[in-house]
Amino acid sequence: MVAGGDMERRAFTEVRTVGRRIEGYAATFNSEARLGGFVERIAPGAFKEALNGDILALLDHDMGKVLGRTRSGTLRLMEDSKGLAFSLDLPDTQAGRDVLSLAERGDLGGMSFGFMVPKGGESWHGEQRTLTRISLKEISI
């Protein structure tokens, strides 16, 4: 089992460019992820409460490489029937230009997100963990 209160990360690969913006999914619902000794899935609606907070978009989970944030409107997040969709306006910084170049070439490894599971936000059935509430901290390229 995963200890409560520890930051966790998960990765997904759907990213596309639209001008100086990248968009896609930072997470998808009901997809099984095999994580060592257990299988995990994210239930629809798991991000709903977290979307009201200030979420950062980072490069490689590095707090020193902020690419956008929901508070400023440069990062937009929403849940749809597929998962956690994002749209990120890339900054005209070295990191932003590098990300755009890599995305245009198809070289990005994808997206991931850092989160914590609040009390009561998960259920276990044997070796299967279902996340029903996620305290989203950041998404990363």
Side-chain angles (χ1 to χ4, degrees):
M1 294 185 60
V2 177
D6 294 333
M7 177 74 87
E8 299 183 46
R9 295 186 175 116
R10 299 294 179 270
F12 298 88
T13 58
E14 187 174 325
V15 177
R16 64 190 163 277
T17 61
V18 180
R20 287 203 52 81
R21 183 176 70 236
I22 61 171
E23 52 189 36
Y25 285 87
T28 55
F29 298 135
N30 295 317
S31 298
E32 289 190 352
R34 299 200 177 280
L35 304 168
F38 66 98
V39 175
E40 179 181 83
R41 72 178 197 77
I42 302 170
F47 294 100
K48 184 178 180 181
E49 292 174 26
L51 296 181
N52 295 324
D54 184 27
I55 310 301
L56 298 174
L58 305 174
L59 179 59
D60 294 326
H61 301 283
D62 184 340
M63 293 297 285
K65 296 180 182 172
V66 175
L67 298 171
R69 68 186 320 149
T70 55
R71 184 178 68 202
S72 69
T74 55
L75 171 63
R76 291 158 305 281
L77 297 168
M78 64 173 255
E79 277 192 343
D80 63 17
S81 62
K82 184 174 180 176
L84 179 63
F86 77 93
S87 178
L88 172 63
D89 300 328
L90 291 169
D92 189 15
T93 61
Q94 189 60 53
R97 289 186 297 272
D98 288 350
V99 166
L100 181 60
S101 179
L102 291 169
E104 288 172 340
R105 289 171 31 133
D107 291 340
L108 289 181
M111 296 297 295
S112 57
F113 63 98
F115 67 102
M116 298 175 81
V117 179
K119 186 173 181 163
E122 64 184 351
S123 64
W124 287 88
H125 300 284
E127 297 297 317
Q128 181 168 1
R129 177 190 194 200
T130 301
L131 299 173
T132 56
R133 283 187 21 238
I134 293 173
S135 178
L136 184 65
K137 303 301 181 189
E138 49 91 3
I139 67 168
S140 283
I141 298 171

